[in-house]
Amino acid sequence: MKQFFLTMLGVFAGLVAFFIVLPIAALLFFAAAASASKPATPAHTVLELDLREGLTDQQPTNPFAAFGGSGLSVIHIVDTLAQAEKDASVKVLLVRAPEGGMTPAAADEVRQAIHRFRASGKTVIAHSQGFMPVGAVVSSYMVAASADQLWLQNTANFQATGLASDSLFLGRAFQKYGVQAEFEQRYEYKNAVNEYTQSDYTGPHREAMVAWMTSIYDSALANTARDRKTTPEALKAVIEAGPYSAEQALSLKLVDKIGQVEEAEAAAKAKAGKDAKIVAFGDYASMQGARNGSGKSAIAIVGGEGAIMTGRGQSASPFGSGSDIRSDDTAKAIYDAIEDKAVKAIVFRVSSPGGSPEASEQILAAVRAAKAAGKPVVVSMGAYAASGGYWISSEADWIVAQPSTLTGSIGVFGGKFVLADALGRFGLDMRGLSVGGDYADAFSPVQGFDQAQRAAFAASMDRVYEEFVVRVSTGRKLPVERVREIAKGRVWTGAQAKELGLVDELGGLNEAVIKARQLANIPTSESVRFKRFPTPQSPWEALASAFGASGQAAEAMVSVGQVMGDPAAQAVLNRVEADRMRSRGAVVLADQPAF
């Protein structure tokens, strides 16, 4: 019967591939063919960058991932604006600012790219339809304020009055419904566990959250004040006294002009010159292609975004924009860069809240191999490089982070949920059987840890923690005792981490490339090529990966349900991924604020 259902699922997946996926692949093929014959960029171009749909950190290697999101990434924006700086046809950049918060580190990097574009002598105009009090809205305002002109729609409100983050605590609900959360954490600042066991912030949890939020807020204020030609103190006093109407925001010099986006577009076109045309950012990027550079020497750009897990298969879904860092894939990408004779240095772009210690160690071993082969490794941290994300970064030759990158979280947690009592209240009786040693059913949801199991599990947590500390001590050349002082699972911003010696430099991918050139002794007068690892998949490789084995039929069905917007399918997929992570026992995973 089981085989029958697997076969039917395989047939279903095949039908989906034929009727849905193949037409999509065909569209991609014809779109790629058509792009070869696209006209050149108009002589007077206004490049429109729309940030309202959200950003990933990196471009996915899966060609179908664009169907699951906006298709824009931070690295994509950095690379494309670098090309636009030198393109004489691009006269003006028009930025559509998001109404809610941006991920703070992403905002830092986009702002820096905008500044480099302006430094080339070109104009930037930003338009906002309001700044709502959602997440890190101060970061969105910071990006918009980096323009030469900031427009606000007449009916919009200016509500960027601070920074907010919410946590959902399940402790009382679990107690009420009989769910027993049995976890170990190393140590008191490893706060992911608290949401399962507490009903409010603990002292260390609150302390750490307020500290990194204040660091992000102060950084955004300082950057915005610099761009708006005021002081951080004056800007803080003004915005915290809000919210404001558009007219009030204008009178307080928080914005430069009031008007509809069509008026801002007209102003941008007038600035660009006669017969100016607006070109969407994605279309321009497609015309330009990847920024590959030239020269005999190459710098490898190795990407990794998402939770760190063992195995292969980068994308969490064949058709979604979500991704994870698979240790086999990422380690292989680094080894491929090592074996490429043209590659003189490696920039490892990390944007991850952490994950499996085993997967993290596999990737770190590849970093060590690159260094042993004489190829310097520079880590460029994105939105997060915390916990396992810091583990894989810790032994690089140089670490670059944005002031608002969330990093550190040197610690570990693990455990299980005991569900038998909760299910019993609904007439569901869960029972377990095991053979072998006492630890065989240690992670059974039927009963809690017994004393011996708890001791053994706690010992494993201690081992992982000490291994983490040793790697940080080795990589950062810090005494072990000093690492223990600044670890304890605490999350730091990049600015805080630099003061602690966990980060070498503040900046983004651009600064990491510059440092990689220096470490590889490539003269500044010499051009370099960029080689990206892992290489992007073709549509057919992505299809083969998604539908190549009948045993994956169930996952394929769930993934297709995700494409069609089925919330039940999405819930199943999320549960599967969560179970995979929990089944590892120990997890080096940091909190992820909901920005």
Side-chain angles (χ1 to χ4, degrees):
M1 183 62 70
K2 177 181 177 182
Q3 186 58 46
F4 171 78
F5 281 116
L6 287 175
T7 300
M8 292 304 295
L9 285 170
V11 170
F12 177 80
L15 290 172
V16 168
F18 184 79
F19 288 107
I20 297 178
V21 180
L22 286 180
I24 291 173
L27 287 173
L28 285 176
F29 175 80
F30 289 118
S35 66
S37 60
K38 280 182 178 179
T41 309
H44 298 87
T45 292
V46 175
L47 186 59
E48 184 177 51
L49 173 59
D50 194 339
L51 298 174
R52 294 173 299 170
E53 296 300 317
L55 302 174
T56 58
D57 183 72
Q58 300 159 35
Q59 286 298 100
T61 59
N62 184 344
F64 297 115
F67 293 98
S70 70
L72 285 180
S73 71
V74 174
I75 301 305
H76 194 201
I77 291 171
V78 169
D79 283 349
T80 303
L81 285 182
Q83 294 179 86
E85 289 172 27
K86 301 175 176 65
D87 187 341
S89 64
V90 177
K91 308 296 185 183
V92 177
L93 175 67
L94 175 63
V95 179
R96 303 293 302 278
E99 294 171 64
M102 285 181 69
T103 302
D108 281 338
E109 195 136 10
V110 171
R111 173 183 174 272
Q112 290 158 8
I114 289 173
H115 269 258
R116 289 191 292 270
F117 182 87
R118 287 183 61 186
S120 69
K122 301 185 179 185
T123 300
V124 180
I125 295 175
H127 185 274
S128 170
Q129 292 179 291
F131 295 102
M132 305 296 292
V134 178
V137 68
V138 290
S139 296
S140 299
Y141 177 54
M142 178 187 73
V143 171
S146 67
D148 294 279
Q149 290 181 11
L150 172 53
W151 291 60
L152 186 63
Q153 186 170 307
N154 61 314
T155 56
N157 290 308
F158 185 97
Q159 301 182 62
T161 59
L163 175 64
S165 180
D166 300 304
S167 301
L168 178 64
F169 293 94
L170 301 173
R172 287 198 306 122
F174 280 178
Q175 185 177 22
K176 178 179 179 180
Y177 293 105
V179 176
Q180 188 177 343
E182 297 211 348
F183 284 86
E184 293 277 336
Q185 63 196 102
R186 300 293 182 272
Y187 278 96
E188 65 267 28
Y189 292 100
K190 199 68 177 177
N191 297 321
V193 173
N194 294 354
E195 295 185 356
Y196 305 140
T197 60
Q198 306 294 324
S199 60
D200 197 355
Y201 297 102
T202 63
H205 192 172
R206 185 181 298 276
E207 174 194 348
M209 290 275 290
V210 170
W212 64 250
M213 289 175 69
T214 301
S215 178
I216 288 172
Y217 184 45
D218 289 347
S219 177
L221 285 174
N223 288 333
T224 306
R226 192 176 304 116
D227 291 337
R228 299 298 299 174
K229 296 179 174 54
T230 183
T231 65
E233 295 76 17
L235 179 64
K236 181 179 181 181
V238 170
I239 70 169
E240 289 185 0
Y244 301 111
S245 67
E247 290 78 9
Q248 289 171 322
L250 178 64
S251 67
L252 292 167
K253 298 183 180 181
L254 294 172
V255 300
D256 300 300
K257 291 181 179 292
I258 295 176
Q260 299 295 326
V261 67
E262 290 79 10
E263 295 174 86
E265 289 173 343
K269 289 163 74 173
K271 183 71 177 177
K274 186 178 179 181
D275 298 324
K277 304 291 183 185
I278 294 178
V279 177
F281 199 86
D283 291 341
Y284 178 79
S286 297
M287 286 186 246
Q288 296 300 308
R291 182 176 60 143
N292 294 321
S294 60
K296 64 179 181 179
S297 297
I299 292 177
I301 310 293
V302 177
E305 180 175 6
I308 303 169
M309 303 173 71
T310 58
R312 297 184 177 91
Q314 188 186 40
S315 289
S317 162
F319 306 101
S321 58
S323 64
D324 48 48
I325 299 175
R326 297 288 180 157
S327 58
D328 283 14
D329 293 338
T330 305
K332 182 180 184 301
I334 295 172
Y335 285 118
D336 286 345
I338 293 172
E339 294 172 5
D340 190 322
K341 293 181 180 179
V343 171
K344 306 304 180 185
I346 297 171
V347 172
F348 186 15
R349 176 71 175 199
V350 177
S351 188
S352 171
S356 160
E358 293 76 19
S360 300
E361 180 65 12
Q362 181 183 355
I363 295 168
L364 182 59
V367 171
R368 294 190 193 110
K371 294 171 62 179
K375 300 195 176 186
V377 179
V378 177
V379 164
S380 169
M381 292 181 169
Y384 309 95
S387 211
Y390 193 80
W391 186 311
I392 65 179
S393 306
S394 59
E395 295 187 27
D397 293 283
W398 195 258
I399 298 177
V400 181
Q402 291 293 353
S404 299
T405 295
L406 294 184
T407 187
S409 192
I410 302 164
V412 61
F413 77 90
K416 66 177 182 178
F417 296 108
V418 181
L419 303 174
D421 183 36
L423 294 174
R425 301 182 185 192
F426 297 94
L428 300 172
D429 297 314
M430 178 180 283
R431 302 289 184 263
L433 294 172
S434 68
V435 295
D438 176 62
Y439 204 71
D441 64 348
F443 286 90
S444 167
V446 174
Q447 72 281 321
F449 294 115
D450 63 29
Q451 187 173 359
Q453 290 171 342
R454 170 70 77 172
F457 182 57
S460 73
M461 293 291 100
D462 291 336
R463 283 194 299 273
V464 174
Y465 178 73
E466 288 303 318
E467 288 168 353
F468 200 167
V469 167
V470 167
R471 278 142 188 79
V472 176
S473 173
T474 301
R476 303 306 302 165
K477 298 179 175 57
L478 294 170
V480 168
E481 288 307 316
R482 174 56 178 158
V483 176
R484 288 199 185 98
E485 288 175 11
I486 61 179
K488 299 182 180 179
R490 181 161 178 169
V491 173
W492 307 97
T493 63
Q496 294 169 326
K498 186 176 184 299
E499 294 179 0
L500 295 168
L502 297 176
V503 162
D504 296 298
E505 181 181 357
L506 298 181
L509 186 67
N510 192 62
E511 288 71 25
V513 167
I514 292 170
K515 188 63 183 182
R517 287 181 61 120
Q518 293 174 354
L519 294 177
N521 296 315
I522 301 173
T524 55
S525 59
E526 181 182 322
S527 297
V528 294
R529 290 181 287 138
F530 299 109
K531 301 189 75 171
R532 290 165 175 78
F533 300 85
T535 56
Q537 290 180 311
S538 71
W540 310 112
E541 288 172 330
L543 286 175
S545 175
F547 296 99
S550 62
Q552 295 176 329
E555 186 171 351
M557 182 182 69
V558 172
S559 300
V560 171
Q562 185 185 16
V563 174
M564 305 307 291
D566 183 350
Q570 178 65 65
V572 170
L573 191 63
N574 290 342
R575 188 173 68 246
V576 168
E577 292 301 319
D579 288 345
R580 286 178 186 172
M581 294 297 293
R582 282 197 294 270
S583 69
R584 302 288 188 246
V587 176
V588 281
L589 192 71
D591 295 335
Q592 295 190 71
F595 288 133

